Amino acid sequence: MKARTRTLIAAALVLGIASGPVVAHAAPAPAPAGAAAPLVSTPPNAAALERAIAGLGAQNKDATAALVRVGGTSGGWRGSSGVADIVTGRAAVEQGRFRAGSVTKTFTSAVVLQLAAEGRVDLDRPVRWYLPGTVPDAYGTVTVRHLLDYTSGIPAADGPGDSFEAQWEHRFDVTDPHDQLANAFAKKPEFAPGTAQHYLNIGYTVLGVLIETVTGSSYEDAVARRILKPLGLHQTSFPARTQTKIHGPHNRGYQAMARADGSGELRDVTEWNSSDRWAAGDIISTTADLERFTVALFSGRVVPKDRLEEMFTVPAVKDFVSGKDAVLSAGLSRIVLPDGTVAWGKSGGRHGYNTAIGATRDLSRTLVYSVNSTNAKGEDTNPVALGIVMAAFAR
């Protein structure tokens, strides 16, 4: 397959050295009750998956570690590679926790859709009906559905800047979501609601505030009560507003940096305050928990099946930046692979960590990975992550 085709697949799926040992083994995977004939009927390609994560560590230019779980009705595979930290060189922690970034949006979307199923939120009602003192007249026609599928036209809130160094200087800043909304709403809309799609965090920050208003509890408590506890996701949590560490076993994250003399270094970026992402991207989890969540979500055990269709419905608009057909739904993204296989997934990127969940809708193949990318917020897809995606969905 051509390199450009591989890149397009990974991008559309939106999944974003002394090498440590590769640890891999077959894993049983639950089949959903009443599942139709699987779209992916062959077992995972273990050899290809092992190659995809081989040789990771301090001397690998792309990633220091990777954790992977492939499952589904056609079989499962689990593997880990690389190092937990570049100082000791100890093997990567296979059950380690990590920052899952924008995979948080899938959880946020699921809670909103639960509230819609309960009749507490109307997806077609203007958001200002729920947040009258927050949403100004200029955004009066923005609905809850517009927030879910990124078609609201609300611009991003200002931040410290796009460069790594600018963000590094502000890595311990504590951000209030209400301040972000005030900043964003003070600007002009990018486009009329429902006429284009622009992937930004701001819509999900609004949804986090909406969840708090409707439920009368914190966003974090609402997600825990409605998803984390019922599914037994005991290793998944949200950091406290001022928290900068990942509690529990984890692999450290690094950013590749160039020194003034032309040499390179890996800067430890594990400790970071992620309150600026909040309901759009600050969840901490494990591959096992995210696999369980993915299977439960696609099976209709998180969001009632009639409302679950929102997650598999892409609006018929163009992407605001590229001008191409939209691919994002309410918390997920759709991709048609070259062989016709349709997959849905969500990626997340925080400095030091690239994460993704993905699956065919019939759960014949599922994928969860965490890659300790050395340029996790870069524009190009991480080569290790790309290799994992291609190996996981290969027939």
Side-chain angles (χ1 to χ4, degrees), residues 36 38 47 61 76 82 124 150 166 175 178 214 216 235 240 242 245 247 266 269 272 278 288 351 360:
K61 65 182 181 63
D124 294 315
Y150 313 95
T175 303
H178 294 275
V214 173
Q235 307 307 313
T242 59
K245 296 182 178 181
H247 293 292
L266 289 177
V269 294
W272 204 292
W278 192 46
H351 290 298
T360 54

Side-chain angles (χ1 to χ4, degrees), residues 248-263:
H250 60 276
N251 301 313
R252 301 193 72 81
Y254 300 90
Q255 173 71 27
M257 302 293 297
R259 297 191 179 98
D261 62 4
S263 62

Side-chain angles (χ1 to χ4, degrees), residues 4-207:
R4 180 174 181 275
T5 301
R6 292 197 301 267
T7 301
L8 287 173
I9 290 171
L13 192 53
V14 192
L15 298 176
I17 89 195
S19 61
V22 174
V23 180
H25 54 272
L39 295 177
V40 180
S41 57
T42 57
N45 187 327
L49 286 162
E50 289 178 6
R51 287 194 299 270
I53 63 173
L56 305 186
Q59 301 307 313
N60 187 291
K61 65 182 181 63
D62 298 313
T64 57
L67 311 176
V68 182
R69 293 176 76 97
V70 180
T73 55
S74 54
W77 184 91
R78 301 170 189 168
S80 64
S81 177
V83 296
D85 67 84
I86 63 174
V87 176
T88 67
R90 60 192 176 92
V93 182
E94 186 174 6
Q95 301 302 322
R97 302 177 185 180
F98 48 80
R99 301 188 190 280
S102 286
V103 172
T104 307
K105 293 182 176 72
T106 311
F107 286 80
T108 302
S109 177
V111 171
V112 173
L113 293 175
Q114 286 180 352
L115 293 171
E118 296 164 9
R120 301 174 70 182
V121 169
D122 183 340
L123 300 186
D124 294 315
R125 178 167 285 171
V127 180
R128 69 180 311 182
W129 194 90
Y130 301 98
L131 307 174
T134 301
V135 182
D137 291 345
Y139 295 93
T141 60
V142 172
T143 67
V144 177
R145 181 177 279 107
H146 290 146
L147 298 176
L148 286 169
D149 63 16
Y150 313 95
T151 60
S152 70
I154 304 172
D158 295 328
D162 294 332
S163 72
F164 170 78
E165 287 295 357
Q167 295 175 35
W168 171 261
E169 291 300 320
H170 293 271
R171 67 191 182 281
F172 297 138
D173 289 0
V174 178
T175 303
D176 188 309
H178 294 275
D179 291 340
Q180 289 184 306
L181 299 193
N183 181 280
F185 283 135
K187 304 176 184 180
K188 295 180 179 179
E190 291 185 325
F191 49 82
T195 63
Q197 186 174 80
H198 192 184
Y199 181 74
L200 295 172
N201 288 329
I202 190 64
Y204 276 72
T205 303
V206 180
L207 289 173

